[in-house]
Amino acid sequence: MTNMQNTRKNDPQDAQKLLELIRTDYPAFYQSVNENISKNPNAFKELSSFALGWAKEAIGADALEVIAKGYAYFVTDVNRHQIEYCIRGHYKNKSYTEVYDQIYNNDEYMNIYHWGVFATLFLWNHHLRIYDFYRDQFLPMLDNCANMIELGSGSGIWSTLTCSLCPNITTLGIDISKSSLNIAQKISKSAGVSLRASFKVGDALTFKQNALFDAGISCFLLEHLEAPKELMNNLAQCVKPGAPIFITAAITAAEVDHIYEFKNEVEVLDLLNESGFRILQVQSTSPEPDERLCFLPRSIAIIAVRKSSEHW
Amino acid sequence: MSIVLKTVAEQLQIPIESLTNDSSPENLKNWDSLATIRIAMALEMSESISFTTEELVKFSSISAINEILSTKK
């Protein structure tokens, strides 16, 4: 694994400029952001430096404004859905069809939403902790891996991070969204790793290629699927026996396009176990519990390996 | 009594007398992004209206909410 200092960086002032934009234009969001990053200033500084540099090349001159707006819109929707979830007792939508036209086929919404999700990676402390877990616990396992597949690569940030930190690995990201693929390609180019991080339009549930991969990841896709086990089954078929994998999922965290409701960590672990993976490490993270919400939204990150046999 | 002042006071659990048109997330510690949604949902219920996400991110002060609310009537 290489050192962050050896890879391309952006203007360190960008993070401060983004925070100032949130403070002035979206003041209701500033306090929690400030509290979040003060709990993990090193991870925030490191990850925001990379992510904002990449986003600036992908978006253009008004990148910080786009990201601040995306964050405010995204968190507003998340908060509304989480409150409604507490009242209703279950997620609003349960099928892909219900969210397709509203979200995935709505370019204007997707553009704002995309950058909002992107910003949560470094503005939410529980996501920063997942980044720490990925960097410190998972990436060292890739030392002997030549290639890695990412199913549901979205904006490509995890593959790009991997290639930025592991100079000998190549990655292939698969995502069904062509617009996400375009962003992923811009981001990997901006990071200077486009020769090793490639992206392809495809279905994460069915994608296959003849040669198996040395490692695999899938981040925050499971909860967007009607049948998340299909994703884990396909990942198991894409990687070699013994291959390390990294999986994240949202638990009791309502968003408009979260259609599979994981009620606890064990449900996600069972899914991996049943799909042929042996669990090695688990981290469950959440924002500070808030008495105004009856469900604690949280994220789980799991490091596992593909079993060689049922008992290995 | 302004419905907005009353709703904000109830949702933030602070005395209505402490609020002015300039009250905002910048000068009220309890007014965070979650409180904004609670204020909005309470207004939606009492006034039989609905707010868009675009309107909600502009809930930056009592006067801003009054302005947005006035477009609904």
Side-chain angles (χ1 to χ4, degrees), chain A residues 110-146:
Chain A
M110 276 302 281
N111 195 37
I112 295 173
Y113 170 93
H114 176 90
W115 294 111
V117 174
F118 182 87
T120 67
L121 193 65
F122 51 88
L123 293 179
W124 285 1
N125 183 40
H126 62 294
H127 283 183
L128 286 172
R129 287 171 57 201
I130 285 179
Y131 167 66
D132 280 341
F133 186 57
Y134 186 75
R135 182 198 57 205
D136 297 341
Q137 304 300 321
F138 181 69
L139 291 187
M141 297 174 74
L142 303 184
D143 280 350
N144 297 318
C145 296

Short mmCIF file of all heavy atoms in Angstrom, two decimals, chain A residues 110-146:
data_model
loop_
_atom_site.label_atom_id
_atom_site.label_comp_id
_atom_site.label_asym_id
_atom_site.label_seq_id
_atom_site.Cartn_x
_atom_site.Cartn_y
_atom_site.Cartn_z
N MET A 110 -30.95 12.86 -10.21
CA MET A 110 -29.76 12.02 -10.06
C MET A 110 -28.49 12.85 -9.92
O MET A 110 -27.59 12.51 -9.17
CB MET A 110 -29.62 11.06 -11.25
CG MET A 110 -30.42 9.79 -11.12
SD MET A 110 -30.02 8.82 -9.65
CE MET A 110 -28.53 8.01 -10.18
N ASN A 111 -28.42 13.96 -10.66
CA ASN A 111 -27.21 14.77 -10.61
C ASN A 111 -27.04 15.39 -9.22
O ASN A 111 -25.96 15.34 -8.63
CB ASN A 111 -27.27 15.88 -11.68
CG ASN A 111 -25.89 16.47 -11.87
OD1 ASN A 111 -24.88 15.77 -11.82
ND2 ASN A 111 -25.85 17.78 -12.04
N ILE A 112 -28.11 15.94 -8.67
CA ILE A 112 -28.04 16.52 -7.32
C ILE A 112 -27.78 15.40 -6.31
O ILE A 112 -26.90 15.50 -5.45
CB ILE A 112 -29.36 17.26 -6.98
CG1 ILE A 112 -29.54 18.45 -7.91
CG2 ILE A 112 -29.38 17.72 -5.53
CD1 ILE A 112 -30.88 19.14 -7.77
N TYR A 113 -28.56 14.35 -6.42
CA TYR A 113 -28.49 13.22 -5.49
C TYR A 113 -27.10 12.60 -5.49
O TYR A 113 -26.52 12.31 -4.44
CB TYR A 113 -29.55 12.20 -5.93
CG TYR A 113 -29.50 10.85 -5.26
CD1 TYR A 113 -30.26 10.60 -4.12
CD2 TYR A 113 -28.75 9.81 -5.79
CE1 TYR A 113 -30.24 9.35 -3.52
CE2 TYR A 113 -28.73 8.56 -5.20
CZ TYR A 113 -29.47 8.34 -4.06
OH TYR A 113 -29.44 7.11 -3.49
N HIS A 114 -26.55 12.42 -6.68
CA HIS A 114 -25.25 11.78 -6.81
C HIS A 114 -24.19 12.50 -5.98
O HIS A 114 -23.43 11.88 -5.23
CB HIS A 114 -24.84 11.76 -8.28
CG HIS A 114 -23.48 11.22 -8.49
ND1 HIS A 114 -23.24 9.90 -8.71
CD2 HIS A 114 -22.27 11.82 -8.45
CE1 HIS A 114 -21.94 9.70 -8.81
NE2 HIS A 114 -21.33 10.86 -8.66
N TRP A 115 -24.14 13.81 -6.11
CA TRP A 115 -23.09 14.57 -5.41
C TRP A 115 -23.41 14.70 -3.92
O TRP A 115 -22.49 14.87 -3.11
CB TRP A 115 -22.86 15.93 -6.09
CG TRP A 115 -22.28 15.73 -7.45
CD1 TRP A 115 -22.88 15.97 -8.65
CD2 TRP A 115 -20.99 15.17 -7.77
NE1 TRP A 115 -22.06 15.61 -9.68
CE2 TRP A 115 -20.89 15.12 -9.17
CE3 TRP A 115 -19.92 14.71 -7.01
CZ2 TRP A 115 -19.76 14.62 -9.83
CZ3 TRP A 115 -18.79 14.21 -7.65
CH2 TRP A 115 -18.73 14.18 -9.05
N GLY A 116 -24.67 14.59 -3.57
CA GLY A 116 -25.03 14.55 -2.15
C GLY A 116 -24.51 13.29 -1.49
O GLY A 116 -23.89 13.33 -0.43
N VAL A 117 -24.74 12.16 -2.15
CA VAL A 117 -24.23 10.88 -1.63
C VAL A 117 -22.71 10.93 -1.55
O VAL A 117 -22.10 10.50 -0.55
CB VAL A 117 -24.68 9.71 -2.54
CG1 VAL A 117 -24.04 8.41 -2.10
CG2 VAL A 117 -26.19 9.59 -2.53
N PHE A 118 -22.11 11.45 -2.57
CA PHE A 118 -20.65 11.56 -2.64
C PHE A 118 -20.12 12.33 -1.42
O PHE A 118 -19.15 11.92 -0.78
CB PHE A 118 -20.31 12.32 -3.94
CG PHE A 118 -18.85 12.52 -4.23
CD1 PHE A 118 -18.13 11.55 -4.91
CD2 PHE A 118 -18.21 13.68 -3.86
CE1 PHE A 118 -16.79 11.74 -5.21
CE2 PHE A 118 -16.87 13.88 -4.15
CZ PHE A 118 -16.16 12.90 -4.83
N ALA A 119 -20.80 13.44 -1.09
CA ALA A 119 -20.34 14.29 0.02
C ALA A 119 -20.45 13.58 1.37
O ALA A 119 -19.66 13.84 2.28
CB ALA A 119 -21.12 15.60 0.04
N THR A 120 -21.44 12.69 1.50
CA THR A 120 -21.59 12.01 2.80
C THR A 120 -20.38 11.13 3.12
O THR A 120 -20.13 10.83 4.28
CB THR A 120 -22.85 11.11 2.86
OG1 THR A 120 -22.72 10.02 1.95
CG2 THR A 120 -24.11 11.90 2.56
N LEU A 121 -19.65 10.76 2.10
CA LEU A 121 -18.47 9.92 2.33
C LEU A 121 -17.49 10.60 3.30
O LEU A 121 -16.87 9.93 4.12
CB LEU A 121 -17.81 9.63 0.98
CG LEU A 121 -16.77 8.53 0.96
CD1 LEU A 121 -17.40 7.18 1.27
CD2 LEU A 121 -16.08 8.47 -0.39
N PHE A 122 -17.36 11.92 3.18
CA PHE A 122 -16.39 12.60 4.05
C PHE A 122 -17.04 13.60 5.01
O PHE A 122 -16.35 14.18 5.84
CB PHE A 122 -15.29 13.28 3.22
CG PHE A 122 -15.79 14.17 2.11
CD1 PHE A 122 -16.06 15.49 2.35
CD2 PHE A 122 -15.99 13.66 0.84
CE1 PHE A 122 -16.53 16.31 1.33
CE2 PHE A 122 -16.44 14.46 -0.19
CZ PHE A 122 -16.72 15.79 0.06
N LEU A 123 -18.37 13.80 4.90
CA LEU A 123 -19.02 14.74 5.82
C LEU A 123 -19.77 14.02 6.95
O LEU A 123 -20.19 14.66 7.91
CB LEU A 123 -20.00 15.66 5.07
CG LEU A 123 -19.37 16.65 4.09
CD1 LEU A 123 -20.45 17.50 3.39
CD2 LEU A 123 -18.37 17.59 4.78
N TRP A 124 -19.96 12.73 6.83
CA TRP A 124 -20.60 11.95 7.90
C TRP A 124 -19.53 11.15 8.63
O TRP A 124 -18.79 10.37 7.99
CB TRP A 124 -21.65 10.97 7.31
CG TRP A 124 -22.92 11.62 6.87
CD1 TRP A 124 -23.24 12.96 6.92
CD2 TRP A 124 -24.07 10.96 6.30
NE1 TRP A 124 -24.50 13.17 6.42
CE2 TRP A 124 -25.03 11.97 6.04
CE3 TRP A 124 -24.37 9.65 6.00
CZ2 TRP A 124 -26.27 11.68 5.48
CZ3 TRP A 124 -25.61 9.35 5.44
CH2 TRP A 124 -26.55 10.35 5.19
N ASN A 125 -19.47 11.33 9.94
CA ASN A 125 -18.43 10.64 10.70
C ASN A 125 -18.52 9.13 10.59
O ASN A 125 -17.51 8.44 10.53
CB ASN A 125 -18.48 11.07 12.17
CG ASN A 125 -17.36 10.43 12.97
OD1 ASN A 125 -16.24 10.32 12.48
ND2 ASN A 125 -17.65 9.98 14.16
N HIS A 126 -19.76 8.59 10.55
CA HIS A 126 -19.83 7.13 10.47
C HIS A 126 -19.35 6.60 9.12
O HIS A 126 -18.92 5.46 9.01
CB HIS A 126 -21.20 6.58 10.88
CG HIS A 126 -22.35 7.00 10.04
ND1 HIS A 126 -22.80 8.29 9.95
CD2 HIS A 126 -23.18 6.27 9.25
CE1 HIS A 126 -23.85 8.34 9.15
NE2 HIS A 126 -24.10 7.14 8.71
N HIS A 127 -19.38 7.45 8.08
CA HIS A 127 -18.80 7.04 6.81
C HIS A 127 -17.27 7.20 6.83
O HIS A 127 -16.54 6.40 6.24
CB HIS A 127 -19.42 7.83 5.66
CG HIS A 127 -20.79 7.35 5.30
ND1 HIS A 127 -21.53 7.86 4.25
CD2 HIS A 127 -21.58 6.39 5.86
CE1 HIS A 127 -22.70 7.22 4.18
NE2 HIS A 127 -22.75 6.34 5.15
N LEU A 128 -16.80 8.22 7.52
CA LEU A 128 -15.34 8.37 7.67
C LEU A 128 -14.74 7.17 8.40
O LEU A 128 -13.64 6.71 8.08
CB LEU A 128 -15.01 9.65 8.45
CG LEU A 128 -15.20 10.97 7.70
CD1 LEU A 128 -15.03 12.15 8.66
CD2 LEU A 128 -14.21 11.10 6.54
N ARG A 129 -15.49 6.64 9.36
CA ARG A 129 -14.99 5.47 10.09
C ARG A 129 -14.94 4.24 9.18
O ARG A 129 -14.06 3.38 9.33
CB ARG A 129 -15.86 5.22 11.33
CG ARG A 129 -15.60 6.27 12.42
CD ARG A 129 -16.60 6.17 13.55
NE ARG A 129 -16.62 4.87 14.16
CZ ARG A 129 -17.64 4.39 14.86
NH1 ARG A 129 -18.72 5.13 15.03
NH2 ARG A 129 -17.58 3.20 15.41
N ILE A 130 -15.87 4.16 8.24
CA ILE A 130 -15.83 3.05 7.29
C ILE A 130 -14.61 3.21 6.35
O ILE A 130 -13.94 2.24 6.01
CB ILE A 130 -17.15 2.96 6.50
CG1 ILE A 130 -18.21 2.38 7.43
CG2 ILE A 130 -16.99 2.12 5.24
CD1 ILE A 130 -19.57 2.25 6.83
N TYR A 131 -14.34 4.45 5.99
CA TYR A 131 -13.14 4.70 5.17
C TYR A 131 -11.88 4.26 5.92
O TYR A 131 -11.00 3.59 5.35
CB TYR A 131 -13.07 6.18 4.81
CG TYR A 131 -11.72 6.59 4.25
CD1 TYR A 131 -11.27 6.11 3.01
CD2 TYR A 131 -10.88 7.44 4.96
CE1 TYR A 131 -10.04 6.46 2.52
CE2 TYR A 131 -9.65 7.80 4.47
CZ TYR A 131 -9.23 7.31 3.24
OH TYR A 131 -8.00 7.66 2.75
N ASP A 132 -11.79 4.61 7.20
CA ASP A 132 -10.64 4.18 8.01
C ASP A 132 -10.52 2.65 8.04
O ASP A 132 -9.43 2.09 7.93
CB ASP A 132 -10.80 4.68 9.47
CG ASP A 132 -10.41 6.14 9.63
OD1 ASP A 132 -9.69 6.67 8.76
OD2 ASP A 132 -10.84 6.75 10.63
N PHE A 133 -11.67 2.01 8.20
CA PHE A 133 -11.71 0.53 8.26
C PHE A 133 -11.23 -0.07 6.93
O PHE A 133 -10.44 -1.02 6.90
CB PHE A 133 -13.16 0.12 8.56
CG PHE A 133 -13.40 -1.34 8.79
CD1 PHE A 133 -12.72 -2.05 9.78
CD2 PHE A 133 -14.36 -2.03 8.05
CE1 PHE A 133 -12.96 -3.41 10.00
CE2 PHE A 133 -14.62 -3.37 8.27
CZ PHE A 133 -13.91 -4.06 9.25
N TYR A 134 -11.70 0.51 5.84
CA TYR A 134 -11.32 0.04 4.49
C TYR A 134 -9.81 0.20 4.28
O TYR A 134 -9.12 -0.74 3.87
CB TYR A 134 -12.09 0.85 3.45
CG TYR A 134 -11.91 0.39 2.02
CD1 TYR A 134 -12.53 -0.76 1.55
CD2 TYR A 134 -11.14 1.12 1.12
CE1 TYR A 134 -12.39 -1.18 0.25
CE2 TYR A 134 -10.98 0.71 -0.20
CZ TYR A 134 -11.62 -0.44 -0.63
OH TYR A 134 -11.47 -0.86 -1.94
N ARG A 135 -9.32 1.40 4.59
CA ARG A 135 -7.91 1.69 4.35
C ARG A 135 -6.99 0.87 5.26
O ARG A 135 -6.01 0.30 4.81
CB ARG A 135 -7.67 3.20 4.59
CG ARG A 135 -6.24 3.66 4.33
CD ARG A 135 -6.00 5.01 4.99
NE ARG A 135 -6.30 4.90 6.41
CZ ARG A 135 -6.66 5.94 7.18
NH1 ARG A 135 -6.79 7.14 6.68
NH2 ARG A 135 -6.90 5.76 8.47
N ASP A 136 -7.36 0.80 6.55
CA ASP A 136 -6.44 0.19 7.52
C ASP A 136 -6.56 -1.33 7.60
O ASP A 136 -5.60 -2.01 7.92
CB ASP A 136 -6.69 0.77 8.92
CG ASP A 136 -6.39 2.26 8.96
OD1 ASP A 136 -5.67 2.75 8.06
OD2 ASP A 136 -6.90 2.95 9.88
N GLN A 137 -7.76 -1.86 7.37
CA GLN A 137 -7.96 -3.30 7.56
C GLN A 137 -8.10 -4.08 6.25
O GLN A 137 -7.64 -5.21 6.16
CB GLN A 137 -9.22 -3.55 8.42
CG GLN A 137 -9.19 -2.86 9.76
CD GLN A 137 -8.02 -3.30 10.63
OE1 GLN A 137 -7.66 -4.47 10.66
NE2 GLN A 137 -7.40 -2.35 11.33
N PHE A 138 -8.77 -3.48 5.25
CA PHE A 138 -9.00 -4.24 4.01
C PHE A 138 -7.86 -4.08 3.00
O PHE A 138 -7.37 -5.07 2.45
CB PHE A 138 -10.33 -3.83 3.37
CG PHE A 138 -10.65 -4.60 2.11
CD1 PHE A 138 -10.96 -5.96 2.15
CD2 PHE A 138 -10.61 -3.98 0.87
CE1 PHE A 138 -11.23 -6.68 0.99
CE2 PHE A 138 -10.88 -4.69 -0.30
CZ PHE A 138 -11.20 -6.04 -0.23
N LEU A 139 -7.44 -2.86 2.75
CA LEU A 139 -6.44 -2.65 1.70
C LEU A 139 -5.14 -3.42 1.94
O LEU A 139 -4.56 -3.94 0.97
CB LEU A 139 -6.16 -1.15 1.51
CG LEU A 139 -7.32 -0.35 0.90
CD1 LEU A 139 -6.88 1.09 0.59
CD2 LEU A 139 -7.84 -1.00 -0.38
N PRO A 140 -4.66 -3.57 3.18
CA PRO A 140 -3.45 -4.39 3.36
C PRO A 140 -3.64 -5.84 2.91
O PRO A 140 -2.66 -6.52 2.58
CB PRO A 140 -3.20 -4.32 4.87
CG PRO A 140 -3.81 -3.03 5.30
CD PRO A 140 -5.04 -2.88 4.44
N MET A 141 -4.88 -6.31 2.85
CA MET A 141 -5.14 -7.69 2.40
C MET A 141 -4.97 -7.82 0.89
O MET A 141 -4.96 -8.93 0.35
CB MET A 141 -6.57 -8.13 2.78
CG MET A 141 -6.80 -8.17 4.28
SD MET A 141 -8.52 -8.54 4.68
CE MET A 141 -8.60 -10.28 4.29
N LEU A 142 -4.86 -6.69 0.19
CA LEU A 142 -4.74 -6.73 -1.27
C LEU A 142 -3.29 -6.77 -1.74
O LEU A 142 -3.04 -6.72 -2.95
CB LEU A 142 -5.44 -5.50 -1.88
CG LEU A 142 -6.92 -5.29 -1.54
CD1 LEU A 142 -7.48 -4.10 -2.31
CD2 LEU A 142 -7.73 -6.55 -1.86
N ASP A 143 -2.36 -6.86 -0.80
CA ASP A 143 -0.95 -6.81 -1.18
C ASP A 143 -0.58 -7.85 -2.23
O ASP A 143 0.25 -7.60 -3.09
CB ASP A 143 -0.06 -7.00 0.06
CG ASP A 143 0.07 -5.70 0.85
OD1 ASP A 143 -0.38 -4.66 0.33
OD2 ASP A 143 0.57 -5.74 1.98
N ASN A 144 -1.21 -9.02 -2.13
CA ASN A 144 -0.88 -10.08 -3.10
C ASN A 144 -1.95 -10.24 -4.18
O ASN A 144 -2.00 -11.27 -4.86
CB ASN A 144 -0.69 -11.41 -2.37
CG ASN A 144 0.47 -11.35 -1.40
OD1 ASN A 144 1.52 -10.79 -1.75
ND2 ASN A 144 0.29 -11.85 -0.20
N CYS A 145 -2.80 -9.25 -4.33
CA CYS A 145 -3.87 -9.33 -5.32
C CYS A 145 -3.51 -8.50 -6.56
O CYS A 145 -3.02 -7.38 -6.44
CB CYS A 145 -5.18 -8.78 -4.75
SG CYS A 145 -5.79 -9.76 -3.36
N ALA A 146 -3.77 -9.08 -7.73
CA ALA A 146 -3.48 -8.36 -8.97
C ALA A 146 -4.69 -7.59 -9.45
O ALA A 146 -4.56 -6.54 -10.11
CB ALA A 146 -3.03 -9.34 -10.04
#
